[in-house]
Amino acid sequence: MASRKRCLVLGLLAFLWAGLASEGSEKQEEETCRLLGRFDLNGYVDAQNHSLVIGGLFPIHARTIPPNESILEPVSAKCEGFNFRGFRWMKTMIHTIKEINQRKDILPSITLGYQIFDSCSTISKTMESAMVFLTGQEENKPNIRNSTGAYLAGIVGSGGSSLSIAASRILGLYFLPQVGYASTCSILSDKFQFPTYVRTVASDKFQSMAMVKLIQHFGWVWVGTIAGDDDYGKYGVKIFKEHMENANLCVAFSETIPKVYSNEKMQRAVQAVKNSTARVVVLYASDLDLHPFMLEMVHHNITHRTWIATEAWITSALLAKPEYFPYFGGSIGFAIPRSDIPGLKEFLYNVHPSRDPDDVLTIEFWQTAFNCTWPNSSVPYNVDHRVNMTGKEDRLYSMSDKLCTGQEKLEDLKNTYLDVSQLRITNNVKQAVYTLAHALDHLSRCEEGQGPFIPGNTCAYIPDFDPWQLMFYVKTVQFTTHDGKTIQIDKNGDVMGHYDILNWQLDDNGEIAFMKVGEYIFTENKFELVFTKNSTIFWNTESSQLPHSMCTDVCLPGTRKGIRQGEPICCFECIPCADGYVSEKAGQRECEPCSEDYWSNVQKSQCVLKEVEFLAYDDALGLTLAVLAVFGALVALAVMVVYVVHRRTPLVRANGWELSLLMQASLATTALSSMLFIGKPCTWSCMACQVTLALGFSLCLSCTLGKTLSLFFAYRISRSKTRLISMHPICPKIIVLLSVLVEIGICTTYLVFKPPKVYKNMESQNIKIILECDEGSLEFLCFTFGVDAFLALLCFLTAFVARRLPDNYYEGKCITFGMLVFFIVWISFVPAYLSTKGKFKVAVEIFAILASSYGLLGCMFAPKCFIILLRPERNTDEVVGGRVPTVDRSIQLTSASVSSELNNTTVSTVLDH
């Protein structure tokens, strides 16, 4: 049977490559290879529209169906025995990749996809999956690391040690990074054999050392060993024996548990335990391999043994059943530290077969979990071809007569998949994905000339890097996990940390509880066995008594009860309430949400009023902006006073002092309108701030437009060779009046139909209520300020055309620069406004208002005030321009002279001969 299995594996390896062979002669250069068949693989793929793909291998099934011996050619086997635990691991990888894609600090411009296969806990399926990762099953010839169309960065997997070893033999040939999450076999630390394998779970080297220290602590010297017939068991026991020998301790017997049922080997292991005087036995095997052995122990009624467990089965729900407690109660061993993964529970519940009728794994999960058959589905239910203890093959086809309705509730299930209270290997899956993500992130941030590769300190680039280049970053990766722990890969691809020491005890309800009695800490400089004070260990001996203890203390306010894997409801973890939820009484099963205006306190024990945030006057930022607004208004009024006092001077008269006064008044109004944005928003302030701002700018820009039109006609007159009629002096005033009336009409309609109102923004920050003004109608608001934008554009265009008009004070250029400042401020305002939140959003708008007001005031009036106040000798008719005959071609026509002419005549004509 074993030789037949080896032949089958070799045949499967040749299965794909045989279909890729082609003739090499020149006459057949255009012929392509073809595939003879496809591997029967199940899994999940999401590779389109992603920069990179991460592969995954998970034991979603427990075994493969034995092949039909009448078929002589290699056949890709099918899988059976749905594994809820492996299905949860697989979902965790998908959840982690989605989480990474949403983060901005890791791979911000790169998205990750995934390609996941079911290894079925067998080497043959693992090898098939590894081949597909490298070549795919759709191409006519091998296309290494591109089987999905996206670039394959690395592999997460593949469950047990034997599976990881098999996959790494192939993946290592191409130096493709592989990160393990559950494979603890020490041989995987050999970088000569497995150069690209790293893991987020500790090596068995540390576990074997911990076992020996545990044995020394209790004074045992005579210990038996039972190992699984695979790399995990054999290498684990080998290292354990070496440490036992170095500690002068003895191994009473050493037997193996067959992976493929053999009654002879199984009975030999059972008899070794039964006949030996050793009462302490080390079990180095996975839970799937150990289950038949436990059935044999029950069948032979072998009790009063103390079992030292490995991390592979100490917390297994498959084995921790009350009926096994008389035989395996008191087992003590080492477990991977547990962790809580935020958001995973909700993600696990988000599964339903109706979402994808081709998702055979989800359909099989649903059928197995709810003991029903999904309508119109060919997915088998509860098929079991295993060999029983008598050596005969059982073939069970237990198709349920009950059809699944799709209304079944996952909340009613109590199985391994949905139990997130004992996330141990599951957390390692998350860290394995993050290991590749952080390595890719470091690779993507490399700066040319400072890279790690020689020659020339070059960098690798996504997505066309070589796998060995990514492996450089994987070996040196170091990051902090979500629960504050540090993951650092050493030179052997291993991690440091600690184990939880667990003891199997029976609780008051007759269920097995995994009681933590201590820790084994292993770091580079520390290897220490620490037992919890006042902890009681149950020993399964004739003289032992069941200790009385509570499984878990009553959860304090601020926490809720959470189920623990494989344990009754009285054994629970106190899970802190989520933000916004509280539990005010001790022992509550669920946390209650706070109402809309409330949020949970730090202890999550009561709801407190949310902090209300707005830009207040007593805030440093608000006070600063208010001072700037008042100062801007005072400056505008000061300029207005200067113009009134010097209204009879040539410069003021030539500049159209009535429009100038209106502009200065509007700029003062605009600056003061920004103060309406400061303070606690209310209905009237929300309505007044936008309208006042729009009207202020409308008045200012319409006055500016009147000036620029005068300059424009002056420029046209100066260059015209035909008779033109210039603008009447009253025209600019009419333009101002019409523009303001149009703006008033739009604002009135805006306030009547869709007025702004106060809005409580609770989406930006959960712990705060941000009071802000809701614009009401975005269309009306855009139309309101669109008029101002249109006026500003007309001002700029007309002023730009007339910028070359000869003039000693450059009125056209001043307006042109003022409009440029106006546009620059408001164009830069849009992205700044959209990217800020809360009171800073209001501050950005106020800053834009003040900046544009100061810009217009400075560009248009600062040069003139300088001349009026500090250079009065230049404020004369001769310097400003005065009135000159326009028909004299030898004298240049200035804007000032045109303005003076227009102010003293109703109609002027220009004759160009």
Side-chain angles (χ1 to χ4, degrees):
M1 187 67 179
S3 61
R4 175 177 176 79
K5 183 177 181 180
R6 284 193 293 270
C7 291
L8 177 61
V9 173
L10 293 175
L12 288 173
L13 290 176
F15 182 60
L16 180 62
W17 296 108
L20 299 176
S22 65
E23 296 294 336
S25 62
E26 296 182 356
K27 296 181 179 180
Q28 296 176 332
E29 286 182 353
E30 297 182 356
E31 294 184 4
T32 58
C33 302
R34 65 183 182 86
L35 298 173
L36 295 178
R38 293 170 57 88
F39 293 134
D40 189 355
L41 298 174
N42 288 321
Y44 295 91
V45 178
D46 180 15
Q48 293 185 357
N49 302 323
H50 293 293
S51 309
L52 297 170
V53 167
I54 294 179
L57 284 171
F58 295 94
I60 303 176
H61 286 87
R63 56 194 171 271
T64 57
I65 300 175
N68 188 343
E69 297 182 359
S70 63
I71 301 177
L72 300 179
E73 62 183 16
V75 176
S76 183
K78 295 184 177 297
C79 303
E80 66 179 5
F82 195 84
N83 182 9
F84 290 100
R85 198 181 189 193
F87 193 61
R88 184 183 66 202
W89 296 346
M90 180 272 299
K91 286 289 186 178
T92 302
M93 176 177 173
I94 297 177
H95 173 264
T96 305
I97 289 178
K98 291 180 180 294
E99 177 183 290
I100 293 172
N101 287 339
Q102 293 175 356
R103 293 181 61 166
K104 301 301 182 184
D105 56 335
I106 301 179
L107 300 173
S109 60
I110 298 170
T111 60
L112 299 178
Y114 53 83
Q115 184 181 23
I116 300 174
F117 290 122
D118 177 14
S119 68
C120 300
S121 304
T122 58
I123 294 178
S124 60
K125 282 296 176 184
T126 302
M127 299 292 277
E128 291 178 10
S129 301
M131 298 293 290
V132 173
F133 278 134
L134 295 173
T135 64
Q137 299 197 83
E138 304 298 337
E139 294 81 16
N140 291 329
K141 55 185 177 181
N143 191 9
I144 304 302
R145 300 177 69 207
N146 198 23
S147 58
T148 62
Y151 202 62
L152 181 64
I155 307 295
V156 172
S158 57
S161 295
S162 296
L163 309 183
S164 292
I165 289 173
S168 188
R169 298 286 188 191
I170 296 180
L171 300 176
L173 296 176
Y174 300 93
F175 226 75
L176 191 65
Q178 181 182 358
V179 185
Y181 53 86
S183 303
T184 60
C185 184
S186 59
I187 192 64
L188 287 166
S189 300
D190 185 354
K191 296 300 104 177
F192 180 78
Q193 297 188 58
F194 308 98
T196 62
Y197 186 86
V198 299
R199 49 190 164 189
T200 57
V201 62
S203 168
D204 281 336
K205 174 181 69 174
F206 304 112
Q207 185 169 218
S208 298
M209 293 172 57
M211 286 181 173
V212 173
K213 286 186 174 293
L214 183 72
I215 292 171
Q216 287 179 312
H217 176 81
F218 292 111
W220 300 324
V221 295
W222 189 238
V223 178
T225 64
I226 299 291
D229 190 13
D230 54 14
D231 295 314
Y232 171 72
K234 291 178 179 179
Y235 280 104
V237 168
K238 177 180 178 293
I239 296 178
F240 171 75
K241 289 180 179 179
E242 292 175 357
H243 288 297
M244 286 284 287
E245 184 178 353
N246 294 334
N248 296 321
L249 301 176
C250 301
V251 176
F253 61 88
S254 183
E255 297 292 340
T256 59
I257 300 173
K259 293 185 72 68
V260 178
Y261 188 85
S262 169
N263 188 58
E264 179 184 355
K265 292 182 179 180
M266 186 66 75
Q267 294 306 318
R268 185 164 61 243
V270 172
Q271 292 302 318
V273 175
K274 184 177 182 180
N275 299 330
S276 174
T277 57
R279 291 295 182 263
V280 178
V281 182
V282 174
L283 283 178
Y284 237 113
S286 67
D287 55 349
L288 296 176
D289 294 338
L290 190 58
H291 189 244
F293 175 76
M294 295 185 72
L295 294 176
E296 291 283 357
M297 297 300 292
V298 173
H299 178 72
H300 288 83
N301 194 28
I302 299 175
T303 58
H304 308 307
R305 299 294 189 277
T306 297
W307 307 92
I308 299 180
T310 66
E311 96 294 335
W313 66 272
I314 186 64
T315 59
S316 173
L318 176 65
L319 306 181
K321 297 181 179 179
E323 56 266 30
Y324 300 149
F325 188 80
Y327 313 95
F328 286 85
S331 295
I332 187 170
F334 303 90
I336 300 167
R338 64 174 299 276
S339 177
D340 293 321
I341 301 179
L344 178 61
K345 182 177 181 180
E346 293 76 11
F347 185 81
L348 294 178
Y349 273 90
N350 188 24
V351 58
H352 200 280
S354 62
R355 293 173 184 165
D356 186 359
D358 297 328
D359 187 355
V360 297
L361 293 178
T362 300
I363 294 175
E364 187 175 358
F365 160 78
W366 202 267
Q367 292 181 160
T368 308
F370 293 105
N371 191 23
C372 61
T373 301
W374 189 257
N376 302 321
S377 172
S378 60
V379 178
Y381 169 79
N382 196 25
V383 182
D384 194 344
H385 296 80
R386 286 179 296 177
V387 179
N388 62 16
M389 288 188 297
T390 64
K392 296 180 180 179
E393 185 180 13
D394 290 333
R395 295 183 182 269
L396 305 176
Y397 297 87
S398 303
M399 297 297 292
S400 175
D401 295 333
K402 183 179 69 172
L403 289 177
C404 302
T405 63
Q407 302 299 319
E408 294 85 1
K409 295 182 178 180
L410 292 173
E411 292 81 0
D412 298 336
L413 292 179
K414 292 183 179 180
N415 61 22
T416 310
Y417 170 71
L418 295 173
D419 189 353
V420 296
S421 65
Q422 294 286 334
L423 298 181
R424 300 178 187 272
I425 295 178
T426 305
N427 187 54
N428 287 344
V429 174
K430 180 182 179 72
Q431 307 315 331
V433 178
Y434 263 100
T435 298
L436 286 174
H438 279 283
L440 289 168
D441 184 62
H442 293 163
L443 183 147
S444 66
R445 297 178 187 273
C446 177
E447 296 182 4
E448 191 60 40
Q450 301 179 9
F453 309 116
I454 55 177
N457 293 328
T458 57
C459 295
Y461 300 98
I462 293 176
D464 57 349
F465 57 88
D466 290 327
W468 64 268
Q469 293 175 317
L470 176 61
M471 195 63 210
F472 170 84
Y473 291 97
V474 172
K475 288 181 178 179
T476 58
V477 73
Q478 181 178 353
F479 62 94
T480 302
T481 64
H482 66 281
D483 51 1
K485 298 179 181 178
T486 300
I487 298 295
Q488 182 175 4
I489 308 296
D490 65 14
K491 62 181 181 180
N492 296 321
D494 297 326
V495 293
M496 298 292 183
H498 74 275
Y499 289 112
D500 290 340
I501 303 176
L502 305 182
N503 177 235
W504 281 21
Q505 298 182 18
L506 201 64
D507 63 18
D508 296 335
N509 292 335
E511 298 289 340
I512 292 179
F514 309 131
M515 304 301 297
K516 181 179 177 180
V517 296
E519 290 182 345
Y520 179 72
I521 303 171
F522 53 96
T523 62
E524 292 183 359
N525 302 317
K526 183 178 181 181
F527 298 89
E528 184 179 5
L529 191 70
V530 180
F531 280 89
T532 306
K533 293 182 179 180
N534 302 323
S535 63
T536 302
I537 300 176
F538 173 76
W539 304 113
N540 191 17
T541 61
E542 295 178 0
S543 59
S544 67
Q545 295 181 358
L546 183 67
H548 176 74
S549 64
M550 292 182 64
C551 187
T552 307
D553 293 332
V554 176
C555 291
L556 298 176
T559 61
R560 63 176 179 84
K561 293 181 179 180
I563 61 173
R564 296 177 63 182
Q565 179 181 355
E567 299 182 21
I569 193 172
C570 63
C571 294
F572 49 84
E573 293 290 340
C574 292
I575 303 175
C577 293
D579 292 338
Y581 289 76
V582 298
S583 61
E584 299 180 352
K585 298 179 181 179
Q588 284 189 214
R589 294 184 58 84
E590 298 293 339
C591 297
E592 300 174 353
C594 295
S595 59
E596 187 179 47
D597 294 338
Y598 289 81
W599 195 252
S600 56
N601 60 1
V602 177
Q603 295 77 19
K604 306 293 191 302
S605 58
Q606 61 179 348
C607 295
V608 295
L609 277 171
K610 291 182 179 180
E611 178 185 351
V612 178
E613 181 181 273
F614 56 88
L615 187 61
Y617 282 99
D618 55 0
D619 192 313
L621 179 60
L623 181 61
T624 302
L625 293 174
V627 171
L628 291 175
V630 174
F631 180 75
L634 293 176
V635 171
L637 293 177
V639 174
M640 184 184 297
V641 171
V642 171
Y643 264 63
V644 171
V645 173
H646 299 85
R647 64 184 179 276
R648 301 186 184 280
T649 61
L651 182 59
V652 175
R653 284 188 294 105
N655 200 20
W657 73 281
E658 295 93 345
L659 293 181
S660 298
L661 290 179
L662 285 177
M663 287 181 62
Q664 294 153 8
S666 64
L667 289 175
T669 303
T670 302
L672 291 175
S673 69
S674 62
M675 298 183 66
L676 295 172
F677 293 85
I678 307 175
K680 186 176 182 179
C682 55
T683 302
W684 72 268
S685 64
C686 289
M687 297 173 65
C689 61
Q690 301 290 358
V691 171
T692 305
L693 179 63
L695 291 175
F697 274 128
S698 177
L699 178 59
C700 176
L701 295 172
S702 60
C703 293
T704 306
L705 180 62
K707 284 191 172 192
T708 57
L709 287 176
S710 298
L711 292 173
F712 177 75
F713 277 103
Y715 178 73
R716 297 293 295 173
I717 291 171
S718 67
R719 297 179 61 86
S720 176
K721 296 182 180 180
T722 60
R723 179 180 299 274
L724 293 175
I725 299 177
S726 63
M727 179 181 290
H728 195 281
I730 200 173
C731 291
K733 300 179 179 63
I734 295 175
I735 291 174
V736 172
L737 180 62
L738 291 177
S739 300
V740 173
L741 288 177
V742 170
E743 190 69 46
I744 291 175
I746 295 174
C747 292
T748 303
T749 306
Y750 178 27
L751 295 178
V752 170
F753 292 99
K754 287 284 186 177
K757 57 184 178 181
V758 180
Y759 169 64
K760 292 182 178 181
N761 186 351
M762 301 182 184
E763 299 174 357
S764 299
Q765 299 186 43
N766 291 327
I767 62 175
K768 293 181 180 180
I769 298 176
I770 300 176
L771 285 181
E772 55 188 29
C773 291
D774 182 10
E775 291 80 3
S777 172
L778 186 61
E779 293 79 9
F780 266 119
L781 187 66
C782 292
F783 194 41
T784 300
F785 287 98
V787 174
D788 293 338
F790 178 71
L791 292 174
L793 183 62
L794 288 179
C795 292
F796 174 75
L797 293 177
T798 53
F800 182 78
V801 171
R803 73 190 185 284
R804 296 182 179 177
L805 185 66
D807 194 348
N808 286 336
Y809 56 86
Y810 307 105
E811 177 73 359
K813 293 182 180 179
C814 290
I815 295 177
T816 302
F817 280 114
M819 289 300 101
L820 280 176
V821 172
F822 184 84
F823 282 122
I824 291 172
V825 169
W826 286 102
I827 290 174
S828 60
F829 159 76
V830 174
Y833 183 79
L834 296 177
S835 61
T836 53
K837 297 178 180 179
K839 62 181 180 180
F840 299 102
K841 193 173 186 178
V842 179
V844 168
E845 187 170 3
I846 296 175
F847 180 80
I849 296 170
L850 295 178
S852 57
S853 300
Y854 275 105
L856 292 174
L857 192 64
C859 290
M860 294 186 182
F861 297 106
K864 302 176 184 62
C865 290
F866 176 79
I867 294 174
I868 293 172
L869 298 177
L870 301 180
R871 296 289 187 271
E873 67 275 7
R874 296 176 60 184
N875 192 3
T876 62
D877 291 334
E878 291 77 10
V879 177
V880 171
R883 182 179 304 174
V884 297
T886 58
V887 295
D888 190 350
R889 297 294 300 276
S890 64
I891 303 177
Q892 290 182 331
L893 184 64
T894 67
S895 60
S897 64
V898 173
S899 299
S900 177
E901 185 74 21
L902 294 179
N903 287 333
N904 292 276
T905 61
T906 57
V907 178
S908 64
T909 61
V910 177
L911 299 177
D912 193 354
H913 302 287

